[in-house]
Amino acid sequence: MPEFFKYLEAGLQNYEEYQVCSISVGVVGDICRALEDKILPFCDGIMTVLLKDLSNSQLNRSVKPPIFSCFGDIALAIGENFEKYLPYAMPMLQGAAELLVVLDQSDEDMVDYGNQLRRGIFEAYSGILQGIKGAKAQLMIPYAGHLLQFTEAVYKDSSRDESVTKAAVAVLGDLADTLGPISKDLFKSHLFHVEFLRECQDMDDEVRDTASWTQGMINQAIVS
């Protein structure tokens, strides 16, 4: 890794040739899965470049959804050590989410891109929630209300595709699983999940299975 990292960093910074940047983001995810918490010494460098990429208006927009997913991969790999990045990663996620509450349905490209970005955001939240689960779970409380509002807005938008539906349903389960009884009042004040999970019963097996798991997690949080 020490030898390879300088090439990886150069790839992540290569926003002019955005395909190189995009592939480098994918490689970070692969390394996270292979090394798990052994990637920790390189995370400051990786997160710094990823956050800069997200702020770079010259970077081709197609690279941004995988960057959000990559936050989730990093959090899954390093667990509660992701705490130090929350003050930087979460405002980025929240800012992007606010731009996506309603998509211009007359623009097919925008709908497609918006769905990719939504899926990336949900995957980031899922990875972070699973990574932080345990002793540091309470760190996610300040972000939970915003996440539920975003999920509800996406649920109400007919332009969401099935991959977004699955990612949105999964994040609800991860939220209930990570926060446990602390999430009880949140789910009681955001009852859209009842209808959302019911709607998933008419979809493919993968979405149905995810919805059943999520329902179990929410039930557990509410009754505990």
Side-chain angles (χ1 to χ4, degrees):
M1 265 307 284
E3 187 53 36
F4 174 61
F5 182 67
K6 46 192 181 207
Y7 298 102
L8 180 62
E9 195 171 35
L12 291 170
Q13 288 170 326
N14 192 348
Y15 60 86
E16 285 109 344
E17 294 172 70
Y18 70 91
Q19 293 99 332
V20 175
C21 188
S22 186
I23 290 166
S24 304
V25 171
V27 170
V28 172
D30 294 336
I31 293 170
C32 285
R33 285 181 282 279
L35 294 186
E36 295 179 335
D37 62 356
K38 293 187 187 70
I39 197 172
L40 196 53
F42 305 96
C43 283
D44 281 0
I46 292 169
M47 285 296 294
T48 300
V49 182
L50 292 179
L51 289 162
K52 273 189 189 152
D53 282 344
L54 283 175
S55 306
N56 189 333
S57 57
Q58 291 171 284
L59 178 64
N60 186 288
R61 68 183 192 179
S62 67
V63 187
K64 295 190 177 182
I67 289 176
F68 284 126
S69 301
C70 194
F71 284 172
D73 293 331
I74 292 168
L76 278 172
I78 65 172
E80 58 187 37
N81 292 300
F82 196 81
E83 175 185 357
K84 68 189 284 194
Y85 305 120
L86 287 177
Y88 309 101
M90 302 314 279
M92 285 284 190
L93 286 169
Q94 291 179 332
E98 273 154 28
L99 297 175
L100 294 166
V101 168
V102 180
L103 303 179
D104 176 4
Q105 299 200 13
S106 64
D107 183 344
E108 214 171 292
D109 283 350
M110 188 57 215
V111 169
D112 190 40
Y113 174 66
N115 277 323
Q116 289 172 36
L117 207 43
R118 287 165 163 181
R119 189 173 70 239
I121 290 167
F122 285 133
E123 286 172 354
Y125 271 113
S126 275
I128 293 167
L129 282 161
Q130 290 172 47
I132 295 277
K133 185 183 166 186
K136 299 272 178 84
Q138 77 285 352
L139 291 169
M140 292 305 289
I141 296 170
Y143 309 109
H146 186 279
L147 172 57
L148 283 171
Q149 282 165 7
F150 175 55
T151 311
E152 182 167 10
V154 171
Y155 154 65
K156 288 177 176 168
D157 183 9
S158 59
S159 65
R160 68 180 150 87
D161 62 24
E162 204 152 287
S163 70
V164 171
T165 300
K166 182 172 176 280
V169 167
V171 90
L172 292 175
D174 288 322
L175 186 66
D177 185 28
T178 295
L179 294 186
I182 307 169
S183 64
K184 184 194 298 192
D185 292 339
L186 279 165
F187 281 110
K188 284 183 173 173
S189 59
H190 293 82
L191 286 169
F192 75 92
H193 66 86
V194 178
E195 199 48 52
F196 193 11
L197 295 175
R198 192 177 296 139
E199 184 191 294
C200 292
Q201 297 312 314
D202 300 326
M203 295 187 180
D204 72 17
D205 289 354
E206 224 177 308
V207 177
R208 269 209 309 273
D209 290 348
T210 305
S212 299
W213 174 79
T214 292
Q215 187 67 70
M217 288 296 130
I218 293 174
N219 290 349
Q220 223 169 296
I222 288 175
V223 300
S224 54

